[in-house]
Structure formats: C-alpha cells, structure tokens
Amino acid sequence: MQYKKEALLLMLFAVLLALTQRYSYSRTKDHLQKMYACWNDHLEEPHLSTWFDPKKRPDVIATTGWLAPVLWEGTYNREVLEQYYKRLNITIGLAVFATGNFSKEPLRRFIKSADKYFMVGYNVIFYILADSMYNLPYFELGPLRTLKTWRLFEEEMCQDCNLRNMNNMHSKIIQCIQYEVNFLFVMAVNQTFKNNFGVETLGKSVAQLHAWWYFKKPRDFPYERRTKSAAFIPFEKGDFYYHRAIVGGTPLNVLNLIEQYIKGITDDSTNKLVSTFESHLNKYFFINKPARVLSPEYNWDPRFKTPPEIKHIKIAWKP
C-alpha cells in the first residue's frame, strides 16, 4: 500500500514538473515575443530604397518575388545603415558548434577571421557550444568582442548531431541569448571570413543561398521530395536552395526556425523517415519567407571556378 502511494506521488510530481516547465517555457517565449514587439516598435529600419538599389546589379537576381533584398556587392549602401545602427548600440550574437571529431584549427580560424571581419565596430558575442572544454583553443579578441563557451550535455551525445545541436541552441536562446543580443547568427565552423560581413545582413530572418545550387533551376534542387516527410516540397515549387552554413535573424525568429526543425524531424522519425537539417531549413523558408537573402558572395566554395557574378567573397566555405 505504501509502495503504491509513493509511486502515485512520484507520478504526480513528474506531471507537475512537466506542466511547470511547459508553463515556464510558454511564459519565457511570450516574454520574448513581447520584448521584440516592443523593440521593433522603436526599430524603424531605414526604407529599403535609401540603402538598397537592385538596379546596380542587373546581372543577378537582386530582389525576391516577395520583395526581400538579395544582397550582392554593389547593391547596398552600408554607410546609411551604419548611421542608423550605431545610435541603437546593438549587440549581435554569432553561435558556432565545436562537436564531433572537430580539430582546434578550423575553430581557431573561424573565430579569428570572424573577430576581424564580422560586424566590425559593433558589440559582438561569440557563442561556442562544444563537446568538451579541454580541446578548445585560446582566443585573443579585439575590442567590443566577448566569448562565451557552453558544454553540450552528456545525455544528448547519442542524438543525431544536428538535432542535438539545435536542442542545445533552443535551450540557450531561451535561457540566455535572448537577453544579450538583438540579432543572432548560427554558422557552421568550416568556413573562413574573407571580407567584411556587415549590418546590411541584419534582418528579422536571414537565409543564405547555396553556392552549389544558385545557378540551377528549382526542379533540380535537392529538396525533400517524399510526400510523407515534414520537409516535403513539391516538384516545380520553391524559390531558392538555402545553405545550412548561415542562418540568422532576431533570436525569436531563430528560435521559431529551430522549433519547426525539431518538430519536423520528430514527425519524420515517427514515420520512420530520416531527413536532413538542410531539407527542413529549406521547407521552413519555403513557408516563412526570409527578410534578407544573402547571395553566394557571402558563402562561396573556392573549389569552384569563380563566375563573373561573384565580385566580392565574404566567406569561404570548406566542406
């Protein structure tokens, strides 16, 4: 009898704990939504026409079908945006994962190049999420730069790498990042900044065009074509093929993307399907159109012959 009472109490405690966590998360996200609604009320971004001119690059697609800018060298006036953002004293976050069989050198190269070229003159917080703190290199950062490191939880090590990473990022945005930055970028570690990556890239949601597929037609894109998958995009549909290397926006929008990915991959798993992060990323942006689209200049694979459209490479990608 006593055992049954203890078991019942434990079950009741577990239910109350789950409800409390869910309520706490709901309140936290509500706070995040209200905070950014309030912030955006004061954030009247300069009109697109004052800093962006797609006519200067008639050789490329410089405006999407939903009228978002596709950023190419020559299309934007960064000085106009600098005058605006400088007075707001904004902080930008840049998160990167050091997981699996990573070596110190790619991470050191990524952070060192980002310190030099990423959002120069602005407050920046670098977030490193790592399997282990012992294998991280030493970093010397410039002014206005802060570095934070977090260790991934041991109990999550058995998960799919991307799912584990996104679960951790979801948790960190809720617990910490939302209070520290106005904009957040999540980037892959195997890339190196080559030129200034500036405030022209800031927006509510930011997507990176995949250099491998930019010159292809939508019917050729490697979208998820299985109808039972949550990432399914029909043939002849789609706008662009987006790269997982760079995702950005406000913390709230990055959080929404992550939640949709986690839900999608969980649904696929229930249906005994294995799907990729990039497939779900493309499905997300197919439904939720990005406010900023970064051209392949912002992430170019140097193994390819550089076409005349690529004028100024911001980041070099190394698969």
Side-chain angles (χ1 to χ4, degrees):
M1 187 69 178
Q2 182 65 26
Y3 172 77
K4 288 183 178 179
K5 286 183 178 180
E6 291 176 355
L8 184 61
L9 285 172
L10 283 172
M11 288 176 63
L12 181 60
F13 176 75
V15 170
L16 287 173
L17 180 61
L19 289 172
T20 301
Q21 289 176 335
R22 186 172 181 178
Y23 175 66
S24 176
Y25 166 70
S26 177
R27 288 189 63 190
T28 303
K29 191 169 183 184
D30 285 345
H31 166 73
L32 187 57
Q33 290 172 329
K34 289 176 182 177
M35 181 178 71
Y36 278 100
C38 179
W39 187 68
N40 285 325
D41 285 342
H42 298 87
L43 187 68
E44 295 182 3
E45 185 180 277
H47 193 275
L48 199 61
S49 63
T50 65
W51 65 271
F52 180 74
D53 186 359
K55 293 179 181 178
K56 290 186 176 181
R57 287 297 302 271
D59 57 322
V60 296
I61 298 172
T63 306
T64 68
W66 57 96
L67 303 182
V70 182
L71 301 176
W72 294 86
E73 186 66 20
T75 60
Y76 56 86
N77 185 334
R78 188 180 287 159
E79 291 182 3
V80 172
L81 294 172
E82 294 275 6
Q83 292 174 6
Y84 171 72
Y85 283 115
K86 282 291 186 182
R87 64 183 176 83
L88 292 179
N89 193 32
I90 62 172
T91 300
I92 304 104
L94 175 54
V96 64
F97 295 93
T99 61
N101 297 320
F102 87 98
S103 64
K104 290 183 180 181
E105 183 55 28
L107 180 62
R108 186 197 66 79
R109 185 169 56 244
F110 177 86
I111 296 294
K112 183 178 180 180
S113 64
D115 182 49
K116 184 177 181 180
Y117 292 117
F118 180 78
M119 301 295 169
V120 177
Y122 291 87
N123 301 306
V124 172
I125 302 176
F126 297 119
Y127 300 104
I128 299 176
L129 286 82
D131 289 332
S132 170
M133 297 292 103
Y134 300 107
N135 200 32
L136 296 180
Y138 170 75
F139 301 106
E140 230 176 85
L141 301 177
L144 305 178
R145 309 301 162 127
T146 304
L147 180 70
K148 292 191 174 185
T149 57
W150 286 309
R151 187 172 180 274
L152 300 176
F153 296 114
E154 290 288 348
E155 57 266 32
E156 295 172 347
M157 295 292 286
C158 61
Q159 288 184 354
D160 167 82
C161 183
N162 286 315
L163 180 58
R164 177 167 59 105
N165 290 349
M166 290 302 106
N167 274 323
N168 273 270
M169 182 53 61
H170 183 276
S171 174
K172 295 306 180 185
I173 291 173
I174 291 293
Q175 296 171 3
C176 178
I177 294 175
Q178 61 157 316
Y179 303 109
E180 298 182 333
V181 304
N182 305 103
F183 297 97
L184 173 66
F185 287 87
V186 181
M187 297 193 185
V189 71
N190 52 330
Q191 47 191 341
T192 305
F193 289 82
K194 296 294 185 181
N195 282 292
N196 286 340
F197 190 106
V199 291
E200 73 279 359
T201 64
L202 299 179
K204 289 183 179 180
S205 62
V206 183
Q208 171 66 55
L209 295 183
H210 203 306
W212 296 3
W213 300 99
Y214 174 73
F215 298 99
K216 304 290 185 180
K217 294 181 180 179
R219 66 170 177 266
D220 299 320
F221 292 162
Y223 290 145
E224 175 58 73
R225 302 300 190 183
R226 294 173 294 180
T227 56
K228 290 185 178 180
S229 173
F232 170 67
I233 296 177
F235 282 101
E236 304 299 333
K237 297 291 185 179
D239 308 300
F240 303 99
Y241 191 77
Y242 302 105
H243 199 340
R244 62 183 173 81
I246 301 173
V247 173
T250 63
L252 177 60
N253 275 278
V254 175
L255 188 71
N256 287 336
L257 186 156
I258 291 172
E259 288 180 347
Q260 288 303 307
Y261 162 69
I262 293 172
K263 181 181 183 303
I265 205 165
T266 302
D267 290 345
D268 278 4
S269 179
T270 301
N271 292 323
K272 298 182 179 179
L273 295 173
V274 177
S275 49
T276 67
F277 171 71
E278 202 160 81
S279 293
H280 289 280
L281 175 72
N282 274 275
K283 178 60 176 286
Y284 179 84
F285 284 129
F286 175 62
I287 297 172
N288 306 276
K289 307 299 188 187
R292 291 281 186 283
V293 178
L294 308 185
S295 75
E297 291 181 325
Y298 284 83
N299 185 272
W300 183 252
D301 189 337
R303 299 178 305 169
F304 290 2
K305 181 181 178 181
T306 306
E309 291 89 345
I310 306 297
K311 308 289 186 185
H312 202 65
I313 298 172
K314 307 294 194 293
I315 294 178
W317 167 257
K318 185 179 180 182

